[in-house]
Amino acid sequence: MPGYANTMSLRQACSLFAAVCGQAYVSMDNDLLSMYETDQSCLRFPLDVLVKPATSAEVAQVIAICNEHDIPVTPRGGGSGVVGGALPVYRGVVLSLERLNTIIEINTAEKYVVAEAGVITADLCSALEQHGLCLPVTPGSSDISCIGGNVATNAGSMYSCRYGQTANMVLNLEVVLPNGDIIWTASNVKKRSAGLNLNQLFTGSEGILGIITKVMYRVAVQPAHEICLLAGFNHLRTACEAVNEINRSGLQPSAVEIIGEQALNITALYLNESLPLIQKDITTHLLIEFTAYSTEEMDSFLENIYALLSGYAATDILLASSAAEKFRLRRLRSSIGGAMTANGRQYRDIDACIPVAHLNNYLSAVQEITSSTALTPICFGHALDGNIHTMLLSGQGELAHDQDIDNITNEIFQYATQLGGVISGEHGIGLLHKTYLPLQFSTAQLNLMKTIKHALDQKNILNPGKLLP
């Protein structure tokens, strides 16, 4: 990565940025900068300058300055990533998009929303709800994640098995290119068949090709009915068989979450309260959700899912329709993250995605691969789309650079790709997992990606050191 110390001083750079954004939004204060050195991966990299533009035009001017003077730029949203994608590994500028936080338009007739990239996901969802609309794909980090980051990582959610990933919601994007040009990637209509698909090029590109400044999402009418079911199983294999039966059935649940034995145990201990279906002979849970627009549709879903699960579940299936009941059934699943990080523990996040038919094979292999280590594999996640979160849990200490962790991660990813899977379903590649990309992509594919990166960002200033090996 070329250094910029030879062309201009940091003070000179700050002066140029301040002329664009205002002095109050450019900082070299170490206390403030330290807040932008890390994310949920627990990695930490120092930066030189924090810049907080307020508009797309300001973003473009800042990027043009950085491009002219070879200054590396790391775009940052909410900092909710788990693979180091928003960390300044080459120092330089962290470009925070937090001031681009306006919801520009909610169009109820055409069912779309336009918002700036720094809008918090949960805030957008709340605004849509006031109009009877919803954004079906909302990641678990919606309270802190920004919509620009969701698009940049092609985020998924519990509801991806029915609604797809963020890419399925994107109609159009405003993007600032590395030279400072501002473009829109598509159009505001629902169908198009002209030119290359620039939406898909920038969605999931993790900020290495351009900086997303505005997002146009397609949205849906809020369903009138929503229910949760919780089923317990004596064996992991039986739960996986039930998932495969659901997959074959033609039913369309909005979520099917599997929770393995270690995840059940550690979270129940962490919560230390009465929880449904936590009992000695239950090793696996399935949390299943349905949404419907009529009672007749919901009744049909329930009749079919009860008939299907009755041959697999070890206990009565619990049903929740009120907010309080749904909270109770979701309580353990939503608390797994807190349980994993309690008492100073750290984990390596693996979110491989494998064909649903191989769910049991994959989870069994993870147990075997980790059996001779001191690590605890906490396995849970989005069963019906094969995106299982495999958290390699350790005690206190630095996990990110541990060679044993890297070797185990490599072995798990190797197995997942041998099954026809991929090394990330929704969390992205970032810094931590870029070395494993050759397990999934050929040399020709990787070279093509690098060619695209170079064509758009010849000086390699945008989020350098991420995504591509």
Side-chain angles (χ1 to χ4, degrees), residues 130-324:
Q130 297 176 23
H131 296 269
L133 301 171
C134 67
L135 181 66
V137 181
T138 54
S141 61
S142 60
D143 286 344
I144 58 173
S145 68
C146 297
I147 63 169
N150 294 343
V151 175
T153 58
N154 193 19
S157 79
M158 286 177 57
Y159 308 108
S160 289
C161 62
R162 180 168 180 177
Y163 298 104
Q165 289 179 264
T166 295
N168 300 93
M169 303 292 110
V170 173
L171 278 172
N172 206 348
L173 299 170
E174 183 187 73
V175 178
V176 176
L177 299 179
N179 64 359
D181 286 348
I182 301 175
I183 65 166
W184 282 90
T185 56
S187 59
N188 301 350
V189 296
K190 296 176 182 178
K191 292 179 70 177
R192 54 189 173 271
S193 182
L196 298 179
N197 193 333
L198 298 182
N199 271 354
Q200 295 298 312
L201 178 63
F202 287 97
T203 300
S205 65
E206 300 192 31
I208 71 167
L209 303 180
I211 296 178
I212 296 164
T213 47
K214 291 188 182 76
V215 176
M216 173 179 276
Y217 276 137
R218 67 178 79 243
V219 294
V221 174
Q222 186 77 36
H225 305 278
E226 178 189 66
I227 60 96
C228 294
L229 301 107
L230 188 67
F233 302 83
N234 294 139
H235 303 286
L236 172 66
R237 180 189 66 257
T238 309
C240 292
E241 290 171 353
V243 172
N244 278 281
E245 186 68 21
I246 294 170
N247 197 36
R248 290 189 292 264
S249 71
L251 287 171
Q252 287 190 309
S254 53
V256 179
E257 296 290 294
I258 193 168
I259 308 171
E261 186 171 9
Q262 290 96 331
L264 289 177
N265 292 341
I266 192 174
T267 311
L269 184 64
Y270 166 71
L271 291 173
N272 192 28
E273 60 187 62
S274 177
L275 295 163
L277 298 187
I278 296 297
Q279 52 197 64
K280 186 177 181 180
D281 58 338
I282 298 298
T283 67
T284 311
H285 282 181
L286 286 182
L287 177 67
I288 302 170
E289 301 191 12
F290 283 94
T291 57
Y293 290 95
S294 68
T295 54
E296 293 80 11
E297 184 183 25
M298 184 61 80
D299 287 344
S300 176
F301 284 152
L302 289 175
E303 180 182 354
N304 283 284
I305 195 66
Y306 269 106
L308 187 154
L309 291 175
S310 63
Y312 298 96
T315 65
D316 290 340
I317 299 159
L318 305 183
L319 172 66
S321 56
S322 72

Side-chain angles (χ1 to χ4, degrees), residues 12 90 112 154 252:
Q12 289 174 310
Y90 289 101
Y112 67 74
N154 193 19
Q252 287 190 309

Side-chain angles (χ1 to χ4, degrees), residues 333-367:
R333 170 63 181 89
S334 64
S335 301
I336 296 173
M340 288 192 301
T341 55
N343 303 314
R345 288 188 293 251
Q346 293 189 15
Y347 62 87
R348 172 67 69 86
D349 180 293
I350 296 173
D351 81 309
C353 189
I354 44 91
V356 179
H358 292 302
L359 199 59
N360 185 64
N361 292 339
Y362 172 77
L363 291 168
S364 299
V366 168
Q367 294 290 338

